[in-house]
Amino acid sequence: MSRKKKFTKKIELKKAETKEVLQPKPKSAKETPQLVRGMKDILPAEQPYFEFIRNTLENFAKDYNYEKIDPPILEDTALFVRGTGKYTDIVEKEMFSFLDQGGDNLSLRPEFTPSIARAYINHGMLNLPQPIKLYSTGPVFRHERPQAGRLRQFHQFNYDILGDSHSVLDAEMILMANKIFEKLGLAVSMQINSIGCSSCRDSYKVKLTDYYRSMRSKLCENCKSRLARNALRLLDCKEESCLALRSGAPQILDHLDEDCKNHFTRTLEYLDETNVAYNLNPYLVRGLDYYNRTVFEVWPEEGTSGAQDALAAGGRYDKLVEILGGRPTPAIGFAAGIERVISRLRSLNIVPPAKERGEIFLAQLGESARRKSLILFNDLINQGFGVSASFSKDSIKAQLEVANRLGVKITLIFGQKELLEGTIIVRDMDAGVQEIVDQKKLVGFLKRKLGKEQALT
Ligand code: HAM
């Protein structure tokens, strides 16, 4: 069957599957629907990790003058077929694609890069001063076999520079990737390679195919079929039998043309000016079709089995904008996988920095005080104080327990008596002493007590 027919067949199958989904098998009304395989809830306990990583990465983006872009999660399937590459694992096996009610073939994004290139073209960014530096973050979907470090919904943080081919940018990206992990407290190993341009790659692929063909019988089944389509992919196979053959394989660095060689040499020279240690990895080829010249991955320093553990990865993609119908626009970028970074932090017992201590807890006693305390709560927030409360609790003891658990500096106690007298009890939680304050003077009193006179005027 031709590839085109195969693809149409796949879509027809999807159509049938969609119909099936619309008529779910009857289940007991009492049965709780389960999480979809490969997806996970990010519970409150894990949120500080996400916050820590996103904040750190966003600060870097701002320091390095990147601007934020939020492409949609749902895109035309053709964007990834053309952009990511028709014969990549992502497009062949891993996309969540479906036909919508209007018959459009859509996909949940399996990566950001084609969307970034599409947005660059759609919004005429070519006419702005180049290069354009963009960062983006959000969920990504790949229908992979779920295992440690491989989710079907995960989150990426991407940095991309479009509109400049200078090799100093390759070095800047690699340097930034390295510094990010230093800031997060993770020791990493920078893996770098050049895969040249399509013409260097074509002649290299012939040599590589010849080499592997001579030992075809020793290859794993997957690689036997990859051999006919893209011999480069054999270099990142993790099967013992294929790894053993890899060391004798020809290396791409020996097959770069003059321009690609110069670009890579200059990138390494710029990097050598920094203190970033890197490992030249001739087997690093990346699984996405658009890459050319410099490619890199960030691996955790120890206990890594390679690509599967990459914390971040990227490279140059000088042809992608053109492939998607734009004017020739060189580009480079990388993405960090947030869940992988979290699991590495956790395995090393690195915890995100503690949140700032809460300032005020507002406790109330009695129905009328509860009603008034809602307004007081809102007023204090408007004045810029960090306030929490447990309005549904009646007992003062239970409320003070919450205040203690939150570790606030001050608890305000507002009861029937205070309501009638226009006062409020201010309890200093560290000193364990309390005083009665006139409600009209409360804001000024709290500002003085919390040392916020300047900040909150
Ligand atoms: P990628 O290597 O496919 O590159 O993914 C980047 C990072 O996303 C990986 O290094 C890993 O940390 C994380 N990741 C990938 N797949 C999974 C998964 N199934 N579960 C958890 N984490 C995962 C790209 O996506 C390129 N678009 C990066 C890029 C940006 N190139 C240029 N600009």
Side-chain angles (χ1 to χ4, degrees):
M1 196 186 303
S2 76
R3 289 211 177 273
K4 195 173 170 200
K5 271 195 186 151
K6 244 190 200 165
F7 195 63
T8 323
K9 177 109 185 149
K10 213 168 154 188
I11 290 174
E12 276 165 8
L13 275 175
K14 287 233 158 93
K15 237 183 197 169
E17 281 161 18
T18 313
K19 272 194 193 142
E20 216 168 274
V21 170
L22 292 175
Q23 294 151 17
K25 289 188 196 98
K27 282 198 175 154
S28 148
K30 284 192 183 148
E31 206 176 300
T32 306
Q34 295 300 301
L35 255 181
V36 172
R37 193 165 129 81
M39 308 282 156
K40 65 176 247 186
D41 293 313
I42 304 166
L43 297 173
E46 207 176 357
Q47 295 292 346
Y49 284 92
F50 273 85
E51 219 169 285
F52 170 51
I53 294 166
R54 280 199 196 111
N55 288 344
T56 308
L57 271 54
E58 194 151 29
N59 287 339
F60 266 90
K62 287 177 183 157
D63 289 349
Y64 282 70
N65 289 318
Y66 285 75
E67 291 185 295
K68 190 172 188 186
I69 180 166
D70 281 322
I73 292 171
L74 205 55
E75 294 266 16
D76 192 334
T77 298
L79 173 69
F80 303 110
V81 176
R82 269 167 78 185
T84 309
K86 209 171 183 174
Y87 303 125
T88 56
D89 282 353
I90 291 181
V91 170
E92 280 194 325
K93 306 185 233 163
E94 296 168 2
M95 286 211 290
F96 284 87
S97 302
F98 60 93
L99 293 174
D100 76 356
Q101 292 84 340
D104 290 329
N105 191 356
L106 305 179
S107 293
L108 295 178
R109 66 174 168 225
E111 58 152 339
F112 279 72
T113 318
S115 302
I116 302 293
R118 177 197 49 67
Y120 179 90
I121 303 168
N122 287 168
H123 303 287
M125 293 189 205
L126 181 74
N127 302 315
L128 302 172
Q130 306 291 302
I132 304 284
K133 296 174 105 178
L134 299 170
Y135 76 95
S136 47
T137 183
V140 173
F141 302 84
R142 294 186 191 172
H143 200 281
E144 296 190 76
R145 196 163 60 81
Q147 52 187 296
R150 249 169 227 248
L151 291 154
R152 288 186 175 174
Q153 177 182 335
F154 58 98
H155 296 77
Q156 280 189 345
F157 200 104
N158 285 251
Y159 300 88
D160 290 278
I161 306 181
L162 297 101
D164 199 330
S165 63
H166 203 295
S167 49
V168 75
L169 297 182
D170 304 36
E172 179 188 316
M173 276 270 161
I174 294 166
L175 173 69
M176 187 171 78
N178 185 265
K179 292 291 163 207
I180 283 168
F181 287 97
E182 199 176 286
K183 187 87 188 170
L184 290 170
L186 291 177
V188 293
S189 150
M190 307 299 295
Q191 306 289 319
I192 304 179
N193 194 20
S194 172
I195 55 167
C197 61
S198 57
S199 72
C200 331
R201 255 190 329 270
D202 284 348
S203 57
Y204 171 64
K205 273 190 207 162
V206 173
K207 297 241 162 43
L208 199 61
T209 310
D210 286 349
Y211 169 79
Y212 276 118
R213 198 172 278 143
S214 63
M215 19 205 136
R216 193 172 184 281
S217 58
K218 296 185 189 147
L219 293 172
C220 73
E221 286 313 307
N222 213 352
C223 282
K224 277 182 188 153
S225 74
R226 281 167 164 173
L227 186 56
R229 288 183 292 161
N230 184 359
L232 274 186
R233 300 305 318 279
L234 272 70
L235 294 176
D236 57 25
C237 178
K238 300 288 168 306
E239 292 292 327
E240 291 279 324
S241 54
C242 301
L243 277 174
L245 300 178
R246 195 175 71 174
S247 49
Q251 298 196 353
I252 182 119
L253 288 177
D254 299 325
H255 295 82
L256 298 184
D257 64 20
E258 241 1 74
D259 282 352
C260 291
K261 202 182 287 169
N262 285 339
H263 184 95
F264 196 48
T265 308
R266 267 188 249 118
T267 299
L268 297 182
E269 282 168 3
Y270 286 122
L271 265 182
D272 290 338
E273 291 294 319
T274 71
N275 59 358
V276 171
Y278 57 86
N279 179 35
L280 271 188
N281 181 343
Y283 307 121
L284 189 72
V285 287
R286 310 279 294 124
L288 306 153
D289 273 4
Y290 48 68
Y291 287 119
N292 68 308
R293 295 196 166 168
T294 313
V295 289
F296 60 97
E297 286 190 349
V298 183
W299 293 359
E301 190 139 76
E302 292 146 19
T304 175
S305 59
Q308 182 168 321
D309 297 312
L311 299 170
R316 228 173 223 292
Y317 53 97
D318 294 333
K319 298 285 174 223
L320 180 59
V321 172
E322 219 175 323
I323 289 170
L324 295 176
R327 300 253 292 278
T329 306
I332 182 164
F334 74 93
I338 297 184
E339 283 81 353
R340 287 208 193 156
V341 176
I342 292 177
S343 79
R344 189 66 187 163
L345 289 170
R346 284 197 147 146
S347 71
L348 298 171
N349 293 323
I350 301 175
V351 287
K355 265 199 175 170
E356 257 193 43
R357 194 176 166 195
E359 287 183 327
I360 299 171
F361 185 86
L362 174 58
Q364 89 291 326
L365 204 59
E367 191 49 33
S368 331
R370 173 158 31 218
R371 242 178 271 156
K372 287 280 181 223
S373 64
L374 275 172
I375 299 166
L376 180 57
F377 179 75
N378 204 41
D379 288 348
L380 291 172
I381 286 179
N382 286 342
Q383 290 287 340
F385 293 106
V387 198
S388 37
S390 290
F391 292 116
S392 60
K393 288 197 173 22
D394 293 326
S395 116
I396 193 77
K397 186 166 168 261
Q399 292 181 70
L400 289 179
E401 271 168 20
V402 178
N404 270 327
R405 211 169 50 235
L406 293 173
V408 293
K409 294 174 190 156
I410 287 172
T411 296
L412 302 175
I413 304 168
F414 191 43
Q416 203 64 24
K417 182 165 177 283
E418 290 73 32
L419 180 68
L420 292 173
E421 291 174 356
T423 59
I424 192 157
I425 299 170
V426 180
R427 185 178 171 83
D428 182 322
M429 300 296 277
D430 292 333
V433 290
Q434 53 190 50
E435 42 195 312
I436 297 169
V437 177
D438 185 334
Q439 267 187 51
K440 292 195 193 84
K441 297 184 180 154
L442 180 65
V443 168
F445 182 88
L446 290 174
K447 282 182 188 175
R448 276 194 303 283
K449 191 124 184 105
L450 294 165
K452 300 181 97 171
E453 290 102 325
Q454 299 297 319
L456 295 175
T457 47

